[in-house]
Amino acid sequence: MRKSLGATLALGLAGLQFLAILLVVFSSYLSSEQALMRHARDLLRDVGVNTIEHSRGFLKPAQGAAELAAQLAQNSVIASDDTPMLERLLFQQLKIAPQFAGLYFGREDGSFVYVMRSPDGPGEFRTKIISFPDGKRRTEFIWRSDDFAVVERREDPADRFDPRSRPWYLGAKERRATVWTDPYIFFSSQQPGITLSAPVLRPDGNLRGAVGVDIEISMISEFLARLNIGQHGRALIINRNGDVIAHPDASLIKARNADGTLRFADIREIGDPIARAAFGPLELAGAIPVQTETPGRFDYQGASYVSTIMPVISDTLPWTIAVYAPEGDFTGALKRNRTLNIWLAALVAGLTGLLGLALADAIHRPVRAFAVRTALISQGELDPDAPLPKTYKELERANAALVQQIALRRKTEHEYGQTFEMSSRGMAQIAPDSGRFIRVNARICQITGYSAAELAGMRLRELVHPEDPTFVGAFFTTDGGDFAVNREMRCVRKDGSTIWITLNEILVRDEQGKPLHAVLTMDDITHSKRAEAQIVQLNRDISHLARGNTMGQMAAGLAHELNQPLTAIAQNADTALLILDQLAIDEPELRDILTEIEGQSLRAGEIIRALRSFISKDEGAATAFDLADLVRQTLHLIQAEVAEARVVVQTELAGDLPPIRGNRVQIAQVLVNLLRNAIEALAPAPGCAPDPSAERRVILSARREGAQVRIAVEDNGPGVAPGISLFAQFETSKPGGMGLGLSICRSILAANGGALWHEAVPPRGARFVFTLPLCQAAADAGA
């Protein structure tokens, strides 16, 4: 690719300026981002610490409640069964501690006194008393004003509350010490809270009951809602069992059981999807609570978040503070400032590039003039001795060396061009990658019949004969190795005629070993090829003629010698039949065998006599005979070959076939030869087992056509190979064949007034057809 020096200078200057500004911007951005992320981590840790301290401060009065419970355990009021006095005492303690939601005492007999705040009731406070007067359960509700005056009384006979089954009672009873319950949703107020309970013991150490204090913790969620953690950050409190007990949105922490009661939502099901994605997997893996402060980072819907998980507040309050916030709350302004700086850097680089372009043009102007002068000299439009324009000293020295090389190159190109154009051999330059003609001389146009313009749009492989392999262009290599072609091949001229050529080709490379082009030379050797073929054919014909004469003499001798033993076989078979008749032996199978031997020996004798007549150019005796009968006898002769090749032979003979006229033995010889050729075409290759699933079929058909009978032998084999002259003597495709079978068959049929030809059977197979004349009587009757 060509590059402009001026553009390179301008782009280089602007690019360096742009990269320098970007380096400063990104360096500042990275340092600032790291500082902001450290600040974000510190902020999340401070939020966690503040939330822990607030929770401790909020629940600190519970410690006083524990002391109160211990004092009440020793108070004679609780020790007695004076329920009104106990109610007043609990009422006074509830007014003193505004953090308390309710105080209560449950006894071992199931009685219960509960004083709670009732902002939605008839009075400000509500008392629930469960007693058993006369052994019957009684549940009474009393609403009182701030001065303990009764506002309303009501009984609830359907109430079945039993303090002895509650977790706070069971915990105090089991541990015999002050206990905290896990946070839960209060049944009465449906607000989140926690209970502190203490056992009340008798003097003998047995349990009298348990005192409990309910503390609402919804104020912690309100505190979390007031926290500012960036713009979108949040803090939440997770209990050790995974329940979210405090959240800026207090409505998200409540979930409903199947029986309609309320419970805390688990972190894996809370309605805050970001908190669920941040801390849900940790809770599922058992990583909450943590032992030390644990910072983290996670992605949600394409946004990045930072998080911190604090260790539990205390052993009595196993709560974990979890905080998260989007990174964009801390680095968003920095990223926007970075984008602005990048645009400013691009603007500065653009302005610098324009200034650099003007500077580069001034520097490049002498170089450009030198390049133009060099191009004109190379094209021959300017004399190399023309005055050199004002330029740099370095370019003046380069110009002298370049002009000298240009002069030498033009001289070499002129000499090569004359040799190329005036050569008596066809010459061409070929593209190494595609095989297209780049340049051709007049001689190659005479050889191929194409003009130079036509060859310019062609590839060498388009001239190659279809039956010759194409190689040009496909075997060029770029590894620096040598490449050369020297061969004889056939080409197709523009007029469609085929010519023989000799082709020489070498690959020309540059100094780096990259292929430049292939140089090709071509000579027409068609005339010498034809003369060579005529000499070869003449030599072969002479050899075959001598072999044919020898074979004729051998055939005549064999016919004479075989005729005598065949006559003896026939006479012996006839004598055996006579003996069977004289001895009155009833052996039908033996009689049939002897009759068959006699008939076949006589038929063999007729064939030998016909062969002798053919060799001696005797036309033989022509008689009228039944073609269907001859076909049956012929099939019997080749029955063993049919079975061995596993071929199915079908006959399709017209039912109205009249007698035909000819030499019966010679016609049988033709049928046997054609059927054997078809069977051999279907037989498997030597050394290969036949495929039992392949269908091998031969069809022998005959029908009348005017004064002749048309007989056809058809097979579904591979067909006749291209290039085989079927009826020429000594032409054969069989490894051990002599090439005389079809030639003799055609001669026999011609001597009997018929003809033989071949028909192709698409998509595969071959059909050999011959005709024979009808006898005169049958021909006249048909006419």
Side-chain angles (χ1 to χ4, degrees):
M1 183 179 65
R2 297 181 179 178
K3 298 180 179 179
S4 170
L5 179 59
T8 302
L9 290 172
L11 291 176
L13 182 61
L16 289 175
Q17 183 76 12
F18 185 66
L19 290 176
I21 296 176
L22 285 183
L23 182 61
V24 173
V25 169
F26 277 100
S27 175
S28 174
Y29 169 77
L30 291 176
S31 59
S32 301
E33 184 182 35
Q34 292 174 357
L36 288 176
M37 292 308 300
R38 286 195 298 270
H39 172 70
R41 296 289 183 190
D42 294 341
L43 176 62
L44 296 185
R45 182 176 62 255
D46 293 343
V47 169
V49 171
N50 291 338
T51 304
I52 290 174
E53 294 301 324
H54 177 80
S55 300
R56 286 174 176 171
F58 179 78
L59 296 176
K60 190 173 183 180
Q63 186 66 34
E67 296 175 358
L68 171 64
Q71 294 173 4
L72 290 176
Q74 306 300 325
N75 194 293
S76 59
V77 175
I78 293 181
S80 68
D81 292 330
D82 190 348
T83 299
M85 184 65 68
L86 176 61
E87 178 191 5
R88 180 176 291 276
L89 177 62
L90 296 177
F91 181 83
Q92 292 173 353
Q93 292 297 324
L94 186 62
K95 290 185 63 177
I96 294 173
Q99 296 91 343
F100 294 168
L103 287 93
Y104 41 84
F105 175 68
R107 300 185 181 91
E108 271 289 281
D109 61 358
S111 59
F112 184 61
V113 178
Y114 178 28
V115 180
M116 62 174 290
R117 302 183 191 278
S118 178
D120 299 329
E124 298 181 31
F125 299 90
R126 189 191 74 172
T127 301
K128 179 179 181 179
I129 301 174
I130 300 176
S131 59
F132 296 91
D134 301 327
K136 295 182 180 180
R137 178 185 176 92
R138 180 187 179 195
T139 301
E140 182 181 15
F141 291 95
I142 305 173
W143 280 268
R144 297 182 184 276
S145 61
D146 186 61
D147 57 357
F148 200 65
V150 176
V151 179
E152 183 180 337
R153 291 177 180 269
R154 187 185 308 165
E155 291 189 8
D156 184 5
D159 182 78
R160 292 293 180 266
F161 179 81
D162 188 348
R164 295 169 296 181
S165 63
R166 306 305 295 169
W168 56 269
Y169 192 95
L170 295 174
K173 179 179 180 180
E174 178 181 358
R175 301 182 186 179
R176 299 299 177 96
T178 302
V179 296
W180 290 90
T181 65
D182 281 332
Y184 63 99
I185 304 297
F186 291 153
F187 177 79
S188 301
S189 64
Q190 297 188 352
Q191 294 297 323
I194 188 171
T195 298
L196 178 71
S197 64
V200 178
L201 303 177
R202 299 178 185 275
D204 57 2
N206 292 324
L207 183 71
R208 174 182 292 275
V211 175
V213 180
D214 285 345
I215 304 174
E216 286 190 6
I217 59 175
S218 58
M219 294 294 292
I220 300 179
S221 294
E222 295 177 5
F223 169 76
L224 297 180
R226 293 193 299 270
L227 290 176
N228 293 322
I229 310 173
Q231 296 180 355
H232 305 90
R234 285 183 173 183
L236 58 151
I237 301 178
I238 306 173
N239 193 24
R240 61 185 169 187
N241 62 357
D243 290 344
V244 180
I245 61 175
H247 191 277
D249 186 352
S251 64
L252 299 179
I253 66 176
K254 297 179 183 179
R256 194 170 296 277
N257 294 314
D259 59 358
T261 59
L262 293 175
R263 61 177 175 83
F264 283 110
D266 188 88
I267 184 60
R268 290 171 289 174
E269 64 179 357
I270 192 170
D272 184 349
I274 303 177
R276 190 168 62 243
F279 309 115
L282 296 176
E283 197 280 328
L284 182 63
I288 295 179
V290 296
Q291 300 300 320
T292 58
E293 178 186 342
T294 305
R297 184 184 181 279
F298 65 97
D299 295 329
Y300 178 75
Q301 293 186 350
S304 297
Y305 291 79
V306 291
S307 64
T308 295
I309 303 177
M310 304 298 293
V312 295
I313 297 176
S314 64
D315 293 337
T316 57
L317 296 177
W319 300 351
T320 297
I321 312 300
V323 190
Y324 70 86
E327 286 186 3
D329 287 0
F330 308 101
T331 61
L334 180 64
K335 290 181 179 179
R336 290 190 294 271
N337 186 51
R338 179 192 62 180
T339 303
L340 178 61
N341 289 339
I342 292 175
W343 280 109
L344 289 175
L347 179 60
V348 171
L351 294 175
T352 307
L354 292 177
L355 295 175
L357 187 61
L359 178 62
D361 182 69
I363 297 174
H364 182 246
R365 190 176 298 114
V367 179
R368 186 166 57 247
F370 172 76
V372 171
R373 182 178 185 275
T374 303
L376 293 176
I377 294 175
S378 177
Q379 297 171 5
E381 299 180 7
L382 185 65
D383 190 344
D385 296 329
L388 184 69
K390 185 178 180 181
T391 184
Y392 303 110
K393 294 181 179 180
E394 294 81 0
L395 291 181
E396 290 179 356
R397 291 192 293 268
N399 176 73
L402 182 60
V403 167
Q404 182 181 3
Q405 293 297 322
I406 290 175
L408 291 175
R409 189 197 69 181
R410 290 176 61 182
K411 179 181 179 182
T412 302
E413 288 179 350
H414 178 71
E415 293 174 352
Y416 174 76
Q418 285 186 325
T419 303
F420 188 90
E421 294 296 338
M422 299 175 62
S423 174
S424 59
R425 309 179 67 186
M427 296 189 66
Q429 290 180 350
I430 305 294
D433 53 348
S434 63
R436 290 187 176 275
F437 287 98
I438 301 175
R439 180 182 180 187
V440 296
N441 66 354
R443 177 55 183 162
I444 203 170
C445 294
Q446 295 174 2
I447 295 174
T448 61
Y450 291 96
S451 66
E454 291 172 330
L455 288 175
M458 298 175 61
R459 293 180 174 88
L460 179 57
R461 65 172 62 97
E462 297 177 28
L463 300 178
V464 178
H465 194 277
E467 297 179 2
D468 286 357
T470 57
F471 61 93
V472 180
F475 299 99
F476 286 152
T477 59
T478 57
D479 56 0
D482 295 334
F483 175 84
V485 174
N486 187 0
R487 61 175 296 174
E488 295 181 357
M489 58 187 297
R490 289 177 295 174
C491 280
V492 180
R493 286 173 49 85
K494 182 178 180 180
D495 57 8
S497 60
T498 300
I499 60 173
W500 278 92
I501 64 169
T502 56
L503 187 69
N504 296 281
E505 188 172 6
I506 60 172
L507 184 63
V508 179
R509 302 177 183 271
D510 59 12
E511 293 80 0
Q512 288 76 31
K514 180 180 178 181
L516 296 176
H517 59 267
V519 178
L520 175 149
T521 59
M522 181 187 297
D523 290 304
D524 187 352
I525 59 171
T526 306
H527 180 73
S528 60
K529 274 287 184 180
R530 288 175 181 171
E532 181 182 345
Q534 290 174 358
I535 293 173
V536 172
Q537 182 64 34
L538 179 59
N539 185 46
R540 185 173 62 177
D541 290 346
I542 292 173
S543 176
H544 285 170
L545 181 59
R547 186 174 62 178
N549 292 334
T550 303
M551 186 180 65
Q553 295 174 6
M554 291 176 60
L558 287 173
H560 176 72
E561 294 297 332
L562 291 175
N563 194 39
Q564 293 181 2
L566 288 174
T567 302
I569 292 171
Q571 290 175 355
N572 291 336
D574 186 61
T575 302
L577 290 172
L578 181 61
I579 293 172
L580 287 177
D581 292 337
Q582 291 175 354
L583 297 178
I585 298 175
D586 187 14
E587 291 292 341
E589 294 182 2
L590 180 58
R591 184 178 299 277
D592 291 342
I593 292 173
L594 292 174
T595 303
E596 180 72 16
I597 291 174
E598 180 184 17
Q600 293 299 331
S601 61
L602 293 174
R603 174 162 161 46
E606 293 176 357
I607 293 174
I608 290 174
R609 285 192 296 273
L611 180 60
R612 292 182 64 184
S613 298
F614 177 75
I615 293 173
S616 61
K617 303 301 181 180
D618 184 9
E619 295 182 358
T623 60
F625 62 91
D626 184 8
L627 178 63
D629 183 59
L630 181 64
V631 168
R632 284 191 295 272
Q633 294 177 4
T634 304
L635 293 178
H636 189 75
L637 287 175
I638 63 171
Q639 184 176 1
E641 298 168 73
V642 170
E644 182 180 358
R646 297 183 182 180
V647 175
V648 177
V649 179
Q650 301 177 2
T651 57
E652 298 178 358
L653 306 180
D656 57 346
L657 285 177
I660 60 176
R661 182 173 179 80
N663 188 312
R664 190 176 185 276
V665 176
Q666 293 178 356
I667 303 306
Q669 184 178 359
V670 171
L671 281 174
V672 169
N673 196 5
L674 294 180
L675 288 171
R676 283 176 175 167
N677 285 347
I679 293 171
E680 291 174 359
L682 294 171
C688 298
D691 184 2
S693 62
E695 181 185 13
R696 291 178 285 276
R697 184 180 68 256
V698 176
I699 301 176
L700 175 60
S701 61
R703 68 173 185 267
R704 178 174 179 172
E705 289 186 352
Q708 292 181 327
V709 173
R710 182 183 186 273
I711 302 99
V713 178
E714 177 183 333
D715 65 76
N716 62 342
V720 178
I724 297 297
S725 299
L726 290 174
F727 302 104
Q729 291 188 5
F730 314 116
E731 287 285 345
T732 179
S733 60
K734 302 177 185 178
M738 299 182 65
L740 292 173
L742 291 177
S743 175
I744 292 175
C745 288
R746 175 172 276 187
S747 300
I748 290 174
L749 291 171
N752 284 272
L756 173 65
W757 67 91
H758 166 260
E759 294 179 355
V761 182
R764 52 180 289 144
R767 181 190 298 123
F768 288 90
V769 184
F770 65 91
T771 58
L772 287 172
L774 299 175
C775 66
Q776 189 63 35
D780 295 341

